[in-house]
Amino acid sequence: MGTPERLIESTRELLWERGYVGTSPKAILERAGAGQGSMYHHFKGKPDLALTAIRRTAEELRAAAEAVLGGPGTPYERIEAYLRRERDVLRGCPVGRLTMDPDVVASDELRAPVDETLDWLRERLAGVVEEGKEQGQLAPSLDGGEIAATIVATVQGGYVLARASGSPAAFDAGVRGLLSLLAPHGRPN
């Protein structure tokens, strides 16, 4: 892995762990094993590197979500696969955590990939819900946009509750509860 890649990956990890302010250029260079001037050789500075890192994280989240939402199975099964997919629950969502970072939220440029990713996720989930309604698997009274917002809120809130308690149990309980509400009649979850 070349120096620019190491810088991007180190910044992604540090943003997830420490947030924007806690991610100093010195910490990035140390984690990347890069020399003093290498950040400024490859990037305009910390904001440019952070934006590149945030975009990469957003792309990975989209790809992971699309792998299950666009995968095999009924719409309900795909929503279930999204909710139950492997996650590091106690670390939280690398994109969702950025919404709690005042420096990211205050910057239109840094916030844009976060907003775009969450908007994409809600739209993608809404499409799967609508597909489930059309196939008669999900209740016709459901609003795809509202259910998509509920799914995203359950996941993001589940991360917060799991981190607060130090256990993934709260996340898992939220997922089970939401799936029981969405489950086609007579289907155990």
Side-chain angles (χ1 to χ4, degrees), residues 102-112:
D103 293 281
V104 171
V105 172
S107 165
D108 290 343
E109 192 175 29
L110 293 177
R111 192 181 67 248

Side-chain angles (χ1 to χ4, degrees), residues 2-177:
T3 301
E5 267 310 297
R6 289 196 324 269
L7 290 167
I8 294 167
E9 289 304 310
S10 297
T11 303
R12 289 179 62 204
E13 292 169 13
L14 289 164
L15 286 170
W16 195 2
E17 293 167 15
R18 304 179 183 182
Y20 186 80
V21 169
T23 301
S24 68
K26 181 180 179 190
I28 293 168
L29 293 172
E30 283 177 6
R31 178 140 331 169
Q36 189 88 29
S38 61
M39 179 190 306
Y40 299 98
H41 177 72
H42 298 288
F43 300 93
K44 293 176 193 155
K46 178 182 164 183
D48 183 42
L49 177 54
L51 180 59
T52 302
I54 291 168
R55 284 183 178 144
R56 171 88 50 89
T57 297
E59 288 166 14
E60 282 191 9
L61 185 141
R62 284 185 197 201
E66 183 56 37
V68 291
L69 294 174
T74 67
Y76 176 86
E77 289 167 345
R78 293 184 345 247
I79 290 169
E80 180 180 33
Y82 170 73
L83 287 167
R84 294 189 190 270
R85 76 180 175 84
E86 189 67 32
R87 293 176 163 87
D88 189 348
V89 174
L90 296 180
R91 276 188 87 190
C93 175
V95 172
R97 295 268 311 262
L98 294 169
T99 66
M100 294 180 254
D101 190 313
D103 293 281
V104 171
V105 172
S107 165
D108 290 343
E109 192 175 29
L110 293 177
R111 192 181 67 248
V114 174
D115 290 343
E116 290 162 12
T117 299
L118 293 173
D119 288 346
W120 173 88
L121 182 58
R122 283 189 296 269
E123 288 173 24
R124 186 66 178 95
L125 285 163
V128 175
V129 171
E130 292 301 325
E131 187 183 334
K133 287 170 49 178
E134 288 166 16
Q135 293 178 10
Q137 295 176 344
L138 298 176
S141 60
L142 295 179
D143 179 288
E146 289 176 358
I147 297 303
T150 301
I151 293 168
V152 173
T154 299
V155 169
Q156 294 302 320
Y159 281 129
V160 171
L161 295 174
R163 284 177 57 84
S165 68
S167 165
F171 184 97
D172 296 340
V175 164
R176 284 192 310 274

